[in-house]
């Protein structure tokens, strides 16, 4: 049974890249608060259907899935239109899909650069462009961009990712100013290292780029930057996304909130 005191009862949350990692955790957190969700991301069709069905059965909400590729502006527009047709509008938009590639800049594959800029930055523009008109009409909306500590500081060998995430910080500020009087807040969450498949997958490349073992990469590269020496958890990021969507956060807009174990304090 769905209780009526959940904070997002009757709302719709669209979360890009929610078949894995942070996005999936955020989607489940919004569903737990009563929101219908539009899932999105890549992966095995059967596994995605299991994820979708478990959200419906665990939380008593509607969960749809869009296979829109964040490389495609048309597919992104189609995904937002599908959510609006099914649920009326997208009340909460979480731009989370992201990829990484680690390489010295002068050896950085051009197609990887283009894909990272498209998925990690331009897709945020395309979802916002599509979802914002109905938020403005309603006078309420929440846009949360999952950026990174790399939206504030850099690390070597991650030129495309760092450039894209700095771009997300700028987009966040700009859109926030444009809709500041219309009940829509726009913020970014900047996690440090969160233990997810994205981080796991970059370990082999970092081992190669820096000639290190896996343990050395974890200790001397990843958690070296993070004073707490702990990975951020998916649940912690999801809790901050819920907070930013709540009434208590209506004065928070245009900002990037760090959740990085002290990394960017240095
Ligand atoms: P992940 O690899 O577990 O999940 C990424 C999601 O994006 C998946 O659902 C994947 O299918 C989806 N995706 C990738 N390419 C796509 C495409 N072309 N079209 C549609 N979906 C696509 O990664 P994660 O660690 O959960 O990362 C999620 C976000 O958090 C990313 O934006 C990442 O940059 C950011 N982030 C992660 C960390 C970390 O340490 N894990 C730290 C800071 C920021």
């Amino acid at each position: 049974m769905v209780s009526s005191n959940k904070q997002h009862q009757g709302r719709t949350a669209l979360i890009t890249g929610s078949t894995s990692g942070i996005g999936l955790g955020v989607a489940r957190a919004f569903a737990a608060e009563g929101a219908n969700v539009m899932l999105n991301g890549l992966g095995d069709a059967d596994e995605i259907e299991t994820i979708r069905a478990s959200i419906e059965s665990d939380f008593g909400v509607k969960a749809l899935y869009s296979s829109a590729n964040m490389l495609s502006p048309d597919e992104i527009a189609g995904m937002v239109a599908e959510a609006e047709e099914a649920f009326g509008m997208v009340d909460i938009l979480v731009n989370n899909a992201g990829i990484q590639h680690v390489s010295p800049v002068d050896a950085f594959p051009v197609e990887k650069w283009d894909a990272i800029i498209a998925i990690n930055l331009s897709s945020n523009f395309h979802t916002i462009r599509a979802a914002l008109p109905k938020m403005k009409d309603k006078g309420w909306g929440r846009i949360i961009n999952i950026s990174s500590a790399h939206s504030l500081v850099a690390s070597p060998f991650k030129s495309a990712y760092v450039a894209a995430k700095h771009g997300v910080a700028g987009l966040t500020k700009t859109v926030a100013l444009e809709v500041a009087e219309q009940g829509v807040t726009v913020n970014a969450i900047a996690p440090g290292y969160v233990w997810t498949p994205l981080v796991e997958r970059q370990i082999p490349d970092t081992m190669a780029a820096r000639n290190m073992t896996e343990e050395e990469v974890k200790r001397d590269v990843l958690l070296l930057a993070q004073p707490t020496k702990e990975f951020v958890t998916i649940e912690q990021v999801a809790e901050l996304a819920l907070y930013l969507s709540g009434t208590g956060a209506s004065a928070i807009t245009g900002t990037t909130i760090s959740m990085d174990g002290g990394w960017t304090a240095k």
Side-chain angles (χ1 to χ4, degrees), residues 2-9 33:
V2 177
S3 80
S4 57
N5 60 359
K6 294 180 174 178
Q7 70 163 324
H8 293 305
Q9 195 74 47
E33 284 300 329

Side-chain angles (χ1 to χ4, degrees), residues 15-25 40-43 48 65-72 75-76 79 95-100 115 118-120 123-124 145-150 161 165 168 189-202 222 226 231-232 234 237 259 263:
I15 306 98
T16 69
S18 44
T19 53
S20 167
I22 293 169
L24 177 54
N40 160 258
L42 310 178
I48 292 171
Y65 164 69
S66 164
S67 63
N69 193 319
M70 294 300 105
L71 290 166
S72 163
E75 290 183 26
I76 294 170
M79 171 182 69
N95 284 308
N96 167 81
I99 59 168
Q100 175 63 286
I119 296 168
N120 295 17
S123 76
N124 296 14
N145 301 322
I146 306 298
S147 62
S148 166
H150 282 124
Y161 187 89
K165 294 297 189 180
V168 170
I189 296 176
Y193 283 102
V194 188
W195 189 250
T196 70
L198 181 142
V199 168
E200 218 172 332
R201 278 195 302 272
Q202 69 185 275
L222 303 183
Q226 217 145 284
F231 285 98
V232 177
I234 289 171
V237 177
M259 182 179 267
W263 173 356

Side-chain angles (χ1 to χ4, degrees), residues 149-209:
H150 282 124
S151 69
L152 302 166
V153 295
S155 296
F157 312 121
K158 297 184 178 178
S159 53
Y161 187 89
V162 171
K165 294 297 189 180
H166 275 65
V168 170
L171 178 67
T172 300
K173 290 179 190 175
T174 307
V175 181
L177 294 179
E178 291 183 20
V179 295
E181 293 184 59
Q182 288 161 290
V184 181
T185 68
V186 190
N187 292 292
I189 296 176
Y193 283 102
V194 188
W195 189 250
T196 70
L198 181 142
V199 168
E200 218 172 332
R201 278 195 302 272
Q202 69 185 275
I203 286 178
D205 286 348
T206 309
M207 287 166 65

